[in-house]
Amino acid sequence: MSTENLSQSPEQPPRKPRVAVVFGGRSSEHGISVVTAGAVLRAIDRTKYDVLPIGITLDGRWALTADAPERMAIVDRQQPSVDLLAESDEGGVILPVDPSNREVVYSEPGSVPKALGEVDVVFPVLHGPYGEDGTLQGLLELSGVPYVGSGVLASAVGQDKEYMKRVFTSFGLKVGPYTVIRPREWELDPAGARKRVAEFAGEHGWPLFIKPARAGSSFGITKVDSFEGLDEAFEEARRHDPKIIVEALLRGREIECGVLEFEDGPRASVPAEIPPVQSHDFYDFEAKYIDSAPGIVPAPLTEEQTAEVRRLAVEAFDAASCEGLVRADFFLTEDGEFVINEINTMPGFTPISMYPRMWEETGVDYPELVDLLVQAALRRSTGLR
């Protein structure tokens, strides 16, 4: 889609593209999504775009919210929520499902629905299930509205750590040892599931990392040093996702790299390193967002290592058919090999997040980053591409 299509009659100035920033959502990453939205709303060029903030509450209601980025921050270790920003406790925003009509409507019980105008592109800054996993992307495809980021397939693959690793392996990217405990297996045969994890530990050693297979922001992850801690770790992971992935410890350095879609294709940022966090056992949610564990940007790597991880990041982007943006996370093992851990198709986008920091070091500041993502979305059509 081109912004040329937005011109009005000769008597009127060209209409600015309208960007709906959609945030919040039903996942455990709701609060971080609100923080991300605040940063995007603060950075987006209001002289270039009209902006419509739309929040999704934890129970799934699409709410018209205040355009108030100053209220979208973690304060006293408490995360913000859409419910605190919504203009009404009952009103709902309705997206069109007719590709020929992009007009968004706001409706409250007992009132005449109010037209909010057309939306030209959606900037979905949702993290986790019901937003980053292809579900919202499918809705936008049905509506015929362009959007920032990856499509349905890439979003789904990027959310499910099992299938992400399967895709990477099929493209020749090296992944670490893992096994998966599916919901039915744990519910019907927990003893068999424990036995299989014990056998996995016997082959790869302790500790193990027990993770929700389809969650992010390091929620629900437990580092387990022995068989005794397994059940508690499973229950913690299952609070976020009934499907569990078990990963072996990879000894090495944690290296991240950002990928961004330009007109001539995807390019990789300078990489960053996540050093060991002294006050935390591993790089968990508290370390990332509450205690703001510092990353090293750029990562202290050799020129050859930097070139290699940037190449692998773009390969991962292409392997999963990604669009827009991705953060690719690697381990640089003790024998000097890069092993990909995962990708995030909508990575942390707060001011302290690694993805914007890596691109700033590469020469793309936060406002320009937001603009490039919106422009990439406006260039794309929905549907098969």
Side-chain angles (χ1 to χ4, degrees):
M1 175 178 172
S2 168
T3 54
E4 293 174 5
N5 297 332
L6 302 171
S7 298
Q8 302 285 308
S9 64
E11 295 79 18
Q12 300 179 15
R15 181 172 67 82
K16 292 184 290 187
R18 197 150 195 240
V19 181
V21 179
V22 180
F23 60 96
R26 294 162 56 190
S27 82
S28 53
E29 298 177 79
H30 177 99
I32 293 305
S33 174
V34 177
V35 175
T36 297
V40 171
L41 290 171
R42 191 177 291 110
I44 197 166
D45 187 349
R46 304 304 179 103
T47 67
K48 192 171 183 178
Y49 305 106
D50 285 328
V51 179
L52 176 66
I54 300 174
I56 302 177
T57 64
L58 280 165
D59 61 6
R61 180 172 63 93
W62 289 51
L64 191 62
T65 67
D67 187 357
E70 69 280 359
R71 294 169 55 194
M72 302 178 180
I74 296 174
V75 179
D76 296 331
R77 307 178 79 89
Q78 296 299 311
Q79 298 179 50
S81 74
V82 169
D83 286 292
L84 298 176
L85 295 161
E87 295 190 353
S88 165
D89 293 335
E90 296 181 305
V93 175
I94 304 169
L95 278 183
V97 291
D98 179 357
S100 66
N101 173 23
R102 292 182 179 172
E103 189 163 77
V104 175
V105 173
Y106 178 71
S107 177
E108 288 195 53
S111 300
V112 176
K114 179 173 66 175
L116 299 178
E118 292 189 355
V119 165
D120 300 294
V121 63
V122 170
F123 199 135
V125 292
L126 295 107
H127 304 302
Y130 311 110
E132 189 183 350
D133 60 349
T135 50
L136 176 63
Q137 289 73 16
L139 173 64
L140 295 172
E141 292 286 350
L142 288 173
S143 301
V145 180
Y147 53 92
V148 169
S150 290
V152 175
L153 173 66
S155 297
V157 168
Q159 189 64 47
D160 191 311
K161 294 179 176 62
E162 175 193 2
Y163 287 98
M164 181 196 310
K165 292 176 188 292
R166 290 182 182 273
V167 167
F168 289 156
T169 300
S170 72
F171 277 83
L173 293 163
K174 186 173 179 58
V175 304
Y178 70 96
T179 190
V180 174
I181 305 298
R182 301 181 187 282
R184 186 185 307 160
E185 182 178 4
W186 181 247
E187 291 159 8
L188 299 182
D189 186 16
R194 293 187 194 97
K195 181 174 183 292
R196 191 150 64 80
V197 174
E199 291 170 351
F200 181 80
E203 181 179 358
H204 299 287
W206 299 95
L208 301 177
F209 288 90
I210 313 300
K211 300 181 177 181
R214 295 163 293 193
S217 295
S218 298
F219 277 113
I221 300 177
T222 305
K223 181 182 177 184
V224 177
D225 295 307
S226 68
F227 192 78
E228 285 69 31
L230 202 58
D231 279 16
E232 186 178 349
F234 271 31
E235 291 308 314
E236 172 59 21
R238 283 172 57 83
R239 289 199 309 111
H240 302 272
D241 185 354
K243 180 179 174 182
I244 296 170
I245 189 165
V246 180
E247 295 178 349
L249 172 68
L250 287 176
R251 300 189 184 280
R253 299 161 62 187
E254 291 190 49
I255 306 295
E256 298 184 346
C257 191
V259 181
L260 179 63
E261 180 183 357
F262 290 81
E263 288 195 60
D264 60 352
R267 302 180 205 166
S269 70
V270 299
E273 179 169 5
I274 308 300
V277 184
Q278 300 302 320
S279 58
H280 294 264
D281 203 22
F282 61 96
Y283 195 49
D284 60 4
F285 174 83
E286 294 272 326
K288 282 182 180 179
Y289 294 106
I290 304 299
D291 296 328
S292 301
I296 302 170
V297 189
L301 301 170
T302 66
E303 287 187 17
E304 293 77 11
Q305 289 172 329
T306 296
E308 176 68 359
V309 75
R310 294 177 84 168
R311 180 185 70 81
L312 290 171
V314 173
E315 280 196 17
F317 183 96
D318 286 336
S321 298
C322 295
E323 296 169 288
L325 72 164
V326 150
R327 193 193 72 231
D329 300 346
F330 297 85
F331 288 102
L332 177 56
T333 63
E334 294 173 338
D335 60 3
E337 185 175 35
F338 283 104
V339 176
I340 189 163
N341 183 38
E342 64 180 32
I343 58 171
N344 279 265
T345 56
M346 184 51 70
F349 216 80
T350 68
I352 64 168
S353 297
M354 297 307 299
Y355 185 85
R357 289 182 58 196
M358 287 187 287
W359 276 107
E360 185 168 12
E361 186 67 27
T362 311
V364 180
D365 65 20
Y366 197 102
E368 184 183 1
L369 183 59
V370 170
D371 185 65
L372 285 169
L373 289 168
V374 172
Q375 288 298 316
L378 285 167
R379 286 195 302 271
R380 290 197 304 266
S381 63
T382 53
L384 298 177
R385 53 188 183 275

